[in-house]
């Protein structure tokens, strides 16, 4: 059922909505006179994308903001010790989940009652219809659980990768310019504007350098460190016997750091994935930002599409610069992100790629 949510047809229908959410967000970032905390704002962006696009909820902005704060409290306490005492992280997490589920139940009920004016089938629609196809009407609790799982899957890792993408574009302006050149050559970017109707799924898939940039961000800054598998049959590895039933952890980050196919592993180099080198093609499990095997991440195509849409908007309609003297250190827990969140000042651009002055700057410009 969940695989239908991330099918090619579903992604095609999500794309215009994803673009709209990203455009609105970048416009808000550019209108803020102060530098923004990219990681925090990226969390808001991915949460909004999950609510508005994946689930199709029409929640007012003010209520959405409150729901985001509650959701953050839930996420912050997911890994608490299971000690149910007043003021414990566990208790705060349980209360946040209860508040979340009340808000989600209200949104689901409103959605089920208002089916008019829809121009695409979102993930929740697909879940409900798939349940009916299998002769099972999903209960409200099952819908709430599925909804919360989708939000959780789309939230932290995508916000982490989005922040890493922005940081690498700041560090490597030549990469950003090369992205712009590819967009121009494909007829997507013209005179500083994205050509209307040019961003379709097949067009985005044809942007090979953009694909290399996203792959390199995910290689060097994989949001999560690894995953777990259960041993189905006793086997031997490097002289050690691993018994059936044991849990095995595989490390994505260590694999990327030690895989012999990658040259200069610490260097951000999108061209390593280009046609001339194709370092990710030499061997099966050297590159695995989304895991591997039958349990590979179901949402990987949606995540990559979101990152590509964000990169296209950043390259086309924004100018941004680091607001601190040096780039921040990176922490790996709970997902990869800059210690200070990455402070960046965004500037809007007009159709000729000139900065749009706002507030006091605009008044000074007019005076001059």
């Amino acid at each position: 059922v969940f695989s239908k949510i991330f099918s090619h047809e579903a992604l095609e229908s999500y794309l215009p909505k994803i673009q709209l959410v990203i455009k609105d967000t970048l416009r808000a970032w550019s209108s803020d006179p102060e530098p923004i905390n990219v990681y925090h704002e990226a969390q808001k962006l991915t949460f909004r994308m999950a609510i508005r696009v994946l689930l199709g909820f029409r929640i007012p902005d003010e209520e959405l903001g409150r729901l985001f704060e509650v959701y953050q409290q839930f996420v912050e306490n997911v890994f608490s010790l299971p000690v149910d005492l007043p003021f414990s992280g566990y208790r705060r997490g349980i209360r946040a989940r209860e508040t979340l589920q009340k808000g989600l139940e209200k949104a689901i009920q409103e959605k089920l009652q208002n089916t008019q004016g829809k121009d695409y089938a979102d993930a929740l629609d697909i879940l409900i219809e798939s349940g009916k196809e299998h002769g099972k009407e999903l209960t409200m609790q099952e819908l709430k659980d599925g909804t919360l799982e989708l939000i959780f899957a789309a939230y932290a890792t995508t916000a982490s990768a989005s922040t890493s993408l922005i940081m690498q574009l700041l560090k490597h302006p030549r990469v950003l310019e090369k992205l712009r050149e590819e967009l121009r050559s494909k007829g997507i970017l013209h005179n500083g504007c994205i050509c209307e109707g040019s961003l379709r799924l097949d067009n985005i898939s044809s942007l090979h350098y953009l694909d290399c940039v996203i792959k390199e961000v995910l290689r060097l800054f994989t949001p999560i460190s690894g995953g777990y598998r259960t041993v189905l049959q006793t086997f031997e590895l490097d002289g050690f016997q691993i018994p059936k039933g044991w849990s095995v952890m595989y490390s994505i980050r260590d694999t990327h750091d030690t895989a012999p196919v990658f040259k200069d592993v610490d260097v951000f180099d999108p061209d390593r994935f280009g046609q001339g080198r194709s370092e990710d093609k030499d061997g099966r499990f050297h590159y695995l930002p989304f895991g591997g095997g039958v349990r590979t991440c179901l949402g990987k195509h949606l995540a990559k599409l979101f990152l590509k849409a964000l990169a296209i908007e950043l390259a086309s309609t924004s100018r941004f610069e680091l607001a601190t003297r040096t780039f921040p250190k990176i922490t790996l827990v709970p997902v990869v992100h800059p210690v200070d969140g990455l402070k960046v000042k965004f500037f809007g651009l007009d159709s000729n790629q000139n900065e749009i002055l706002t507030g006091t700057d605009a008044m000074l410009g007019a005076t001059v």
Side-chain angles (χ1 to χ4, degrees), residues 278-306:
S278 301
E279 292 182 9
D280 61 322
K281 299 294 192 298
D282 298 331
R284 289 184 65 200
F285 295 119
H286 296 308
Y287 180 73
L288 58 164
F290 295 101
V294 295
R295 296 291 180 183
T296 189
C297 175
L298 274 175
K300 64 181 180 181
H301 296 301
L302 175 62
K304 288 194 286 188
L305 179 62
F306 178 85

Side-chain angles (χ1 to χ4, degrees), residues 309-320:
L310 176 60
I312 289 169
E313 288 294 335
L314 288 167
S316 306
T317 62
S318 294
R319 190 177 75 77
F320 42 102

Side-chain angles (χ1 to χ4, degrees), residues 230-246:
T230 299
V231 178
L232 300 179
Q233 186 174 333
T234 300
F235 68 97
E236 191 172 293
L237 179 67
D238 288 343
F240 293 92
Q241 191 177 71
I242 314 297
K244 178 181 178 179
W246 276 32

Side-chain angles (χ1 to χ4, degrees), residues 178-235:
K178 196 169 177 179
L179 272 179
R180 289 181 178 133
E181 288 172 8
E182 183 175 53
L183 293 174
R184 293 187 196 104
S185 69
K186 295 289 184 179
I188 293 174
L189 183 61
H190 181 68
N191 287 337
C193 291
I194 296 176
C195 299
E196 191 172 347
S198 63
L199 281 190
R200 299 185 307 276
L201 208 55
D202 56 343
N203 285 6
I204 291 178
S205 298
S206 72
L207 298 170
H208 299 301
Y209 186 69
L210 172 61
D211 188 56
C212 292
V213 171
I214 301 305
K215 281 183 175 178
E216 181 68 342
V217 168
L218 294 173
R219 181 194 70 83
L220 203 53
F221 300 96
T222 309
I224 57 173
S225 59
Y228 293 91
R229 295 291 183 268
T230 299
V231 178
L232 300 179
Q233 186 174 333
T234 300
F235 68 97

